[in-house]
């Protein structure tokens, strides 16, 4: 191919600003200084030479613009990363979080001076209580996993206060759960018992029955499960767990499936965490910050992580430590920017908008399920909630195409790959969450790409084994990239 692609030919990664430009070039000319002259630092402390990049302003702008175009995000295209809810987030929520009255508030400011921010946080606690049906809320956790840890430490504290902790040392976790659930239970000091899912992907009541023997502290349920499936017997399961004296923990990270339609509290859950950075409009592709509020029943409220915002008799707001709190999880009041975005999101949508969110999330996932059903194996052919889990197993024959190859090939179609090889109970898993904000055309375009790839897998498996072909960086040796990354710049031209 003879066409020149300036982005690719700029050999991204190999040449940094240091290796570009030429001696004597500069981006900005600073006029001479005629202000007071500071004393010269002592001899010996001054550098004799300093190898800084020497680029014109235009070269510099092009370099960074090229770098920015290497980034893939929800603002650039479909990003169907299952369980992660990579949806489009309204920009107005960023604007609200950036208002100087919020953004410039010092985290150590006395409560009398941040009554407006506290009012917002207090109202947000109320909205989340209303949305989950669990009336007591702490906004403190900084991520979903931290919210889970808070919830399980609260359960542990209550069992301790009841004198039951010695015998209730086990936490039950279905094998379809998110990986953070068993990790959380272990970190909280419990032993994890994995529950094998039934043939329909749901919790098997007989398996549960066998385990409930008075030694169980809690059952942790991801709802919907990471298979994107509803638990049809969840209310009976809740009642059964409670009869045994155990607690029901809810992983509500993927609330876009049920928002405004079903409430954890009404279903019988005792404590739940939400991922505001998934459902409630904080972009999180870069890994943070997040917010994982924890919501619970009155029975667990005294143990909530500090602080919580409470209204005093005179209407003023205060940050307080619940009476028997598990303590603080991080400094200050939680991830303020994420909390403010969530507030703006809830207020701007209202109940009708929140219900439309879950309607569209579920509609998109099911539409995609029907579009792809004939082309990829579907291990649990049921109606799904916010996401659908296919298997790449059919593509293994005859060309040994793996899910990994399918994911890499999607990059050539300009689409971010879905989550792969998770959940673990699905062979060659492709976990796809179109989210509520993808248009019908975008869902159909994604399906067309997946169908084209299934066709390529049958006709030309080598094409997939070598993918991606159009990306700035091709297929990496992942073991070496992870274990022996080359992170140090070595000069090319100096
Ligand atoms: C994302 C997710 C988590 C973990 O949330 P983090 O904010 O990444 O810690 C837990 N459970 C489920 C179901 C998730 O999708």
């Amino acid at each position: 191919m003879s066409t020149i692609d300036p982005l690719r030919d700029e050999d991204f990664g190999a040449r940094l600003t240091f290796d570009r430009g030429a001696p004597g070039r500069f981006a900005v000319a600073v006029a001479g200084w005629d202000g007071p002259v500071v004393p010269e630092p002592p001899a010996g402390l001054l550098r004799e030479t300093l190898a800084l990049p020497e680029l014109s302003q235009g070269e510099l702008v092009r370099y960074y613009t090229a770098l920015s175009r290497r980034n893939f995000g929800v603002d650039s295209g479909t990003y169907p990363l299952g369980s992660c809810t990579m949806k489009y987030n309204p920009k107005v929520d960023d604007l609200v979080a950036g208002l100087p009255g919020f953004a410039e508030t010092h985290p150590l400011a006395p409560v009398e001076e941040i009554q407006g921010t506290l009012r917002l946080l207090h109202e947000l606690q109320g909205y989340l209580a209303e949305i989950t049906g669990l009336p007591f809320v702490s906004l403190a956790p900084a991520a979903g996993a931290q919210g889970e840890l808070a919830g399980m430490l609260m359960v542990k504290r209550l069992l301790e206060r009841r004198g039951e902790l010695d015998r209730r040392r086990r936490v039950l976790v279905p094998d379809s759960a998110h990986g953070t659930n068993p990790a959380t239970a272990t970190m909280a000091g419990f032993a994890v018992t994995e529950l094998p899912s039934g043939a329909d992907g749901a919790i098997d009541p007989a398996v549960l029955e066998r385990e409930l023997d008075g030694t169980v502290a809690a059952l942790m349920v991801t709802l919907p499960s990471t298979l994107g499936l509803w638990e049809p017997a969840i209310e009976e399961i809740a009642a059964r767990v409670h009869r045994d004296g155990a607690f029901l923990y809810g992983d509500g990270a993927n609330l876009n499936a049920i928002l405004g339609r079903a409430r954890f509290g009404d279903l019988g859950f005792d404590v739940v965490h939400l991922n505001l950075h998934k459902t409630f409009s904080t972009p999180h592709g870069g890994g943070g910050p997040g917010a994982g509020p924890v919501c619970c029943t009155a029975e667990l409220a005294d143990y909530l992580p500090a602080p919580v915002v409470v209204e005093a008799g005179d209407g003023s707001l205060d940050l307080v430590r619940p009476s028997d709190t598990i303590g603080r999880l991080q400094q200050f009041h939680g991830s303020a920017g994420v909390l403010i975005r969530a507030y703006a999101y809830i207020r701007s949508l209202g109940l009708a908008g929140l219900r439309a969110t879950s309607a569209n999330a579920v509609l998109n996932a099911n539409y995609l399920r029907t579009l792809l059903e004939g082309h990829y194996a579907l291990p649990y052919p049921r109606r799904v909630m916010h996401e659908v889990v296919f298997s790449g197993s059919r593509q293994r024959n005859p060309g040994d195409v793996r899910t990994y190859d399918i994911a890499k090939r999607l990059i050539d179609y300009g689409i971010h790959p879905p989550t792969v090889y998770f959940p673990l109970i699905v062979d060659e898993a492709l976990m796809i969450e179109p989210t509520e904000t993808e248009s019908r055309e975008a869902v159909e375009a994604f399906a067309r790409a997946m169908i084209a790839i299934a066709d390529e897998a049958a006709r030309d498996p080598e094409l997939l084994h070598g993918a991606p072909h159009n990306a700035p960086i091709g297929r990496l040796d992942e073991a070496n990239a992870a274990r022996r990354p080359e992170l140090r710049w070595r000069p090319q031209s100096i």
Side-chain angles (χ1 to χ4, degrees), residues 109-122:
V111 289
E112 323 65 272
E113 290 178 16
I114 55 166
Q115 286 292 306
T117 300
L118 293 183
R119 172 68 56 197
L120 179 148
L121 296 180
H122 189 253

Side-chain angles (χ1 to χ4, degrees), residues 81-85 142-148 176-181 184 221-226 249 251-255 273-278 284 287 289-292 386-387 422 431 433:
L81 199 63
S83 207
C84 292
T85 314
Q146 209 180 40
E148 282 175 44
S176 64
H178 194 272
T180 48
N181 293 187
T184 292
V221 175
T222 302
L223 192 74
S225 75
T226 61
Y249 184 90
D251 181 331
N254 303 126
L255 202 71
H273 84 270
L274 307 178
N275 275 33
L276 299 189
H277 47 293
K278 286 178 183 167
H284 58 286
H386 62 298
E387 66 195 1
F422 183 79
M431 183 201 220
E433 182 182 4

Side-chain angles (χ1 to χ4, degrees), residues 91-393:
K91 298 292 175 250
V92 68
D93 301 340
D94 293 339
L95 202 74
V96 173
L99 290 173
F102 296 126
E104 291 170 14
T105 298
H106 195 281
L108 288 175
V111 289
E112 323 65 272
E113 290 178 16
I114 55 166
Q115 286 292 306
T117 300
L118 293 183
R119 172 68 56 197
L120 179 148
L121 296 180
H122 189 253
E123 286 181 15
L124 179 61
Q125 288 176 182
Y127 297 150
L128 297 182
E130 181 67 29
I131 284 168
T132 59
L134 289 162
F136 297 89
V137 179
S138 168
L139 303 173
Q146 209 180 40
E148 282 175 44
L149 182 63
M152 291 310 293
L153 290 176
M154 290 158 61
V155 167
K156 187 178 180 183
R157 176 67 60 95
L158 178 54
L159 290 172
E160 198 181 325
R161 295 290 180 256
R162 285 183 180 169
E164 291 182 27
L165 189 57
D166 286 343
R167 68 181 169 93
R168 293 193 183 271
R169 306 283 341 176
R170 291 200 300 143
V171 168
L172 309 180
V173 183
D175 60 4
S176 64
H178 194 272
T180 48
N181 293 187
T184 292
T186 306
M187 266 189 84
F190 293 104
V192 173
T193 303
E194 189 176 279
L195 301 184
S197 298
D200 60 353
I203 293 174
D204 183 339
V207 171
L208 179 66
E209 190 61 43
R210 262 205 311 280
E211 297 295 342
L212 289 173
D213 58 0
T215 68
V216 172
L219 167 66
M220 294 182 86
V221 175
T222 302
L223 192 74
S225 75
T226 61
L227 293 167
L229 300 176
W230 183 250
E231 288 292 347
I234 190 63
E235 283 159 292
E236 295 89 82
I237 288 170
R240 184 64 193 91
V241 165
H242 289 150
R243 260 203 319 283
D244 190 62
F247 291 86
L248 186 59
Y249 184 90
D251 181 331
N254 303 126
L255 202 71
N256 59 336
I258 60 171
L259 195 54
R261 289 166 193 280
R263 307 196 310 165
F264 281 87
D266 300 341
L267 295 168
F269 284 83
D270 299 290
V271 51
V272 63
H273 84 270
L274 307 178
N275 275 33
L276 299 189
H277 47 293
K278 286 178 183 167
T279 310
F280 294 93
S281 104
T282 286
H284 58 286
V294 57
C295 313
C296 68
T297 58
E299 196 178 24
L300 288 159
D302 290 345
Y303 316 113
L304 278 168
V308 295
V309 185
V310 294
E311 190 162 24
D314 64 356
S316 71
L317 294 153
D318 200 4
L319 288 162
V320 304
R321 290 173 67 85
S323 61
D324 199 7
T325 178
I326 59 163
R328 277 186 170 276
L329 297 164
Q330 59 161 335
Q331 56 192 352
F332 310 129
H333 325 318
S335 302
V338 182
L339 301 174
I340 295 165
R341 282 185 186 84
Y343 179 88
Y345 185 72
I346 292 169
R347 286 299 299 264
S348 58
L349 288 187
L351 179 60
L354 297 178
R355 287 172 61 89
T357 293
S358 48
N360 289 330
V362 172
L363 180 65
N364 273 350
N366 281 290
Y367 185 38
L368 191 62
R369 176 176 63 87
T370 59
L371 291 176
L372 292 183
E373 214 162 5
H375 304 272
Y376 289 88
L378 184 64
Y380 299 97
R382 280 167 55 189
R383 186 176 299 169
V384 295
M385 300 295 293
H386 62 298
E387 66 195 1
V388 53
V389 181
F390 284 96
S391 163
S393 56

